[in-house]
Amino acid sequence: MRKKILVTMMLSVVFCLFSLSIVPTTSYACSCAQPPSVEDELERSQAVFSGKVLEVKVQKNFKGYVKKRVLIEVAETWKGVSESQVIITTGSGGGDCGYEFQVGQEYLVYATESTMYGDKAELVTVICDRTTELSAAQEDLTVLGEGKEPTEQVDLVTEQAGIAESNAMIAVIVAVGIVLLSFIVWKRFKKR
C-alpha cells in the first residue's frame, strides 16, 4: 500500500513538472523589418531632432519593467520639438526594443508618442526607428535639410532635481508622521 502511494505521488510530481513546461509564457522579442526611408520616417514620427545626451536614467516600475529616460540637449529640430531639452523614453535594450544611448554622444532622434513603456504617452524611440548616432546619419541629414534651432529655452536638469527634492521631502514628512503615530498608539496601549 505504501509503495502505491509513493508511486502515485512521484507520478503526480512528474505530471505537474511536465504541465508547467508546456504552459505558454509571455515573452517579448524585438524584430525589425527593413528600416523605413527617411521620408517615411519623417512623416510617421511626431518628433525629429538632433542633440547631445546629457543623462540616462534607468527606472523600474512596480511590475518590474525597466525603461530608460534620456535627457537630450536639442541642437536642431525638424519636427515636433521646440524646447532646448527633451526627455525621450526607451527600453532597457534586448527584447524590449530599447535603444542604447550613451551620455555625451550626439544622435539624430526619430520619436513617436507612445504608451509602450508606461501608462501615459511619452516620446519614445526604439531600435526599429531610424534613430542613430549623428556621425552615422549623413543620408538622413541630406534628405532632411537644414534644421531649426529650438525656440523655447528649458532647463530640465534643474526641473528634475527640484522634483526629486520635493519627493524626498514628502518621504521624510511621511516617515516622521508614521513614527509619531506609532509612538502615540504605543503610549495608549501602554496605559491600558
Side-chain angles (χ1 to χ4, degrees), residues 46 69 89 112-116 118-124:
Q46 288 157 327
R69 293 180 48 83
T89 302
T112 57
E113 279 197 14
S114 174
T115 57
M116 179 184 288
D119 294 335
K120 67 176 191 166
E122 309 173 281
L123 278 179
V124 170

Side-chain angles (χ1 to χ4, degrees), residues 112-173:
T112 57
E113 279 197 14
S114 174
T115 57
M116 179 184 288
Y117 298 110
D119 294 335
K120 67 176 191 166
E122 309 173 281
L123 278 179
V124 170
T125 191
V126 295
I127 60 173
C128 298
D129 297 330
R130 287 189 69 94
T131 296
T132 188
E133 287 187 34
L134 195 58
S135 60
Q138 208 49 50
E139 175 191 349
D140 294 65
L141 294 172
T142 301
V143 173
L144 292 172
E146 194 171 323
K148 297 176 183 168
E149 288 187 22
T151 55
E152 280 182 62
Q153 293 300 312
V154 295
D155 185 1
L156 297 179
V157 175
T158 305
E159 202 174 292
Q160 296 288 20
I163 291 170
E165 265 180 37
S166 296
N167 289 344
M169 184 62 88
I170 290 169
V172 168
I173 291 170

Side-chain angles (χ1 to χ4, degrees), residues 21-101:
S21 69
I22 62 169
V23 173
T25 57
T26 303
S27 62
Y28 301 96
C30 189
S31 175
C32 305
Q34 181 81 15
S37 68
V38 178
E39 295 86 356
D40 288 345
E41 189 76 336
L42 176 63
E43 185 178 323
R44 183 189 70 80
S45 298
Q46 288 157 327
V48 179
F49 62 93
S50 66
K52 184 176 184 177
V53 173
L54 301 177
E55 180 179 79
V56 177
K57 282 190 177 180
V58 176
Q59 293 182 330
K60 193 179 227 182
N61 73 10
F62 66 94
K63 292 179 182 176
Y65 296 121
V66 177
K67 68 179 179 182
K68 293 180 183 176
R69 293 180 48 83
V70 183
L71 175 62
I72 300 175
E73 182 77 36
V74 178
E76 285 186 286
T77 180
W78 288 268
K79 183 178 181 182
V81 171
S82 59
E83 299 87 9
S84 60
Q85 293 181 348
V86 173
I87 294 176
I88 295 294
T89 302
T90 192
S92 61
D96 69 0
C97 298
Y99 190 90
E100 191 64 40
F101 286 97

Side-chain angles (χ1 to χ4, degrees), residues 171-187:
V172 168
I173 291 170
V174 168
V176 168
I178 290 171
V179 169
L180 285 173
L181 185 62
S182 299
F183 180 73
I184 291 168
V185 169
W186 176 74
K187 280 290 226 183

